Amino acid sequence: SSSSGDEALRDKRARILSRGLPKQKPIEGVKQVVVVASGKGGVGKSTTAVNIALALAANDSTKEVGLLDADIYGPSIPKMMNLKGNPELTPKNLMRPLKNYGIACMSMGFLIEETAPVVWRGLMVMSAVEKLLRQVDWGELDYLVIDMPPGTGDVQLSVSQNIPIAGAVIVSTPQDVALLDAHKGAEMFRKVHVPVLGLVQNMSVFQCPKCKHETHIFGADGVRDLAKTLGLDILGDVPLHVNIRETCDSGQPVVISQPQSDA
């Protein structure tokens, strides 16, 4: 009958599709992976990733935390974490992460000159991501925070499909054009069955340091509205504050250098 024929066709298609997807394999020594992503660049994703990693370690000193910079074209973790130099190799030819503030860090920025552009095609980028995921000796980590590149391309798909991810955090400003891309980012993670833990609304309000007047430069509550639409939580509402920017630029992120501040 035609219905049993359709069923057989569906089964065959499912088998082919399942064969085409890579098998998820945990990163050795890593208990949980959290990815920090954004649809659009320039919304403060790396700043958020760095401060999340530091906050996880600060909240529980028994936890070991690592930070992986998966942004091959624009690695910013070395500067933000005040780290320089090339990783040493273990006897098993694995790279040893560089460490600061108790956080083990790995980035493409440790493997190239600071001002050198990465002029690579997609296949080379994917090979570099694979090495950063699989050829690093993380030791024993409770959490690995991955700072993803902006967008919903090859790197995001490859990371999501190759390793088990505990959850994704989406960072966006309240601006409409950023929200469009944040929505796409959240939907992409849902498609590849990665739980979205929630949204961070970054650069939400600017307070004048002199008169204390507050201005919503990028609009008000856009990320809150998107969270309602997607049925997700708001994990944080971060102001546009000069201290947050200055501390990351100087390699002393605000969570570690000004833990008692409002920011």
Side-chain angles (χ1 to χ4, degrees):
S1 73
S2 67
S3 66
S4 63
D6 288 349
E7 211 167 287
L9 195 63
R10 270 200 301 275
D11 283 351
K12 189 177 177 187
R13 196 176 293 149
R15 279 201 307 277
I16 291 167
L17 280 171
S18 67
R19 218 171 39 226
L21 285 174
K23 288 270 186 290
Q24 283 193 339
K25 187 177 154 211
I27 299 171
E28 204 171 319
V30 177
K31 286 182 187 165
Q32 299 205 70
V33 175
V34 176
V35 297
V36 181
S38 70
K40 189 167 284 303
V43 297
K45 170 184 53 59
S46 295
T47 303
T48 306
V50 162
N51 282 301
I52 284 175
L54 289 164
L56 284 168
N59 280 341
D60 186 344
S61 58
T62 67
K63 301 292 186 199
E64 290 293 328
V65 181
L67 181 58
L68 173 61
D69 188 350
D71 195 342
I72 304 297
Y73 291 120
S76 46
I77 297 302
K79 185 173 179 64
M80 290 183 177
M81 289 296 286
N82 198 22
L83 285 166
K84 265 187 184 167
N86 301 115
E88 293 175 2
L89 289 177
T90 69
K92 288 185 178 174
N93 222 25
L94 298 175
M95 293 181 285
R96 275 205 182 100
L98 275 61
K99 216 164 186 183
N100 197 14
Y101 310 124
I103 308 291
C105 301
M106 182 48 68
S107 169
M108 192 69 201
F110 300 145
L111 308 173
I112 55 168
E113 292 295 317
E114 195 173 12
T115 54
V118 176
V119 189
W120 287 355
R121 291 192 184 275
L123 279 172
M124 288 174 75
V125 171
M126 297 316 297
S127 170
V129 169
E130 181 68 17
K131 283 185 172 64
L132 290 175
L133 286 174
R134 300 285 178 205
Q135 293 183 18
V136 177
D137 179 9
W138 291 106
E140 294 295 321
L141 291 184
D142 294 284
Y143 302 109
L144 177 64
V145 177
I146 301 184
D147 178 25
M148 297 280 251
T152 54
D154 285 352
V155 174
Q156 290 82 351
L157 278 173
S158 182
V159 171
S160 304
Q161 290 176 343
N162 276 293
I163 59 171
I165 295 170
V169 173
I170 310 276
V171 182
S172 181
T173 63
Q175 190 179 3
D176 284 353
V177 290
L179 292 167
L180 282 171
D181 290 346
H183 195 153
K184 287 175 195 163
E187 292 298 351
M188 184 211 80
F189 284 118
R190 282 181 169 170
K191 274 201 165 140
V192 293
H193 309 298
V194 170
V196 180
L197 302 174
L199 306 175
V200 171
Q201 178 161 266
N202 199 21
M203 308 184 202
S204 58
V205 64
F206 172 73
Q207 188 183 63
C208 173
K210 289 184 178 168
C211 70
K212 304 298 179 195
H213 176 70
E214 292 192 344
T215 307
H216 291 90
I217 292 171
F218 295 109
D221 291 335
V223 180
R224 288 187 179 281
D225 296 339
L226 177 60
K228 271 186 206 152
T229 303
L230 294 170
L232 293 170
D233 292 333
I234 287 282
L235 302 174
D237 208 324
V238 187
L240 179 61
H241 202 293
V242 70
N243 277 6
I244 298 172
R245 196 269 306 161
E246 281 177 350
T247 53
C248 259
D249 279 355
S250 66
Q252 298 174 314
V254 72
V255 164
I256 206 87
S257 59
Q258 300 174 12
Q260 303 309 321
S261 68
D262 288 347

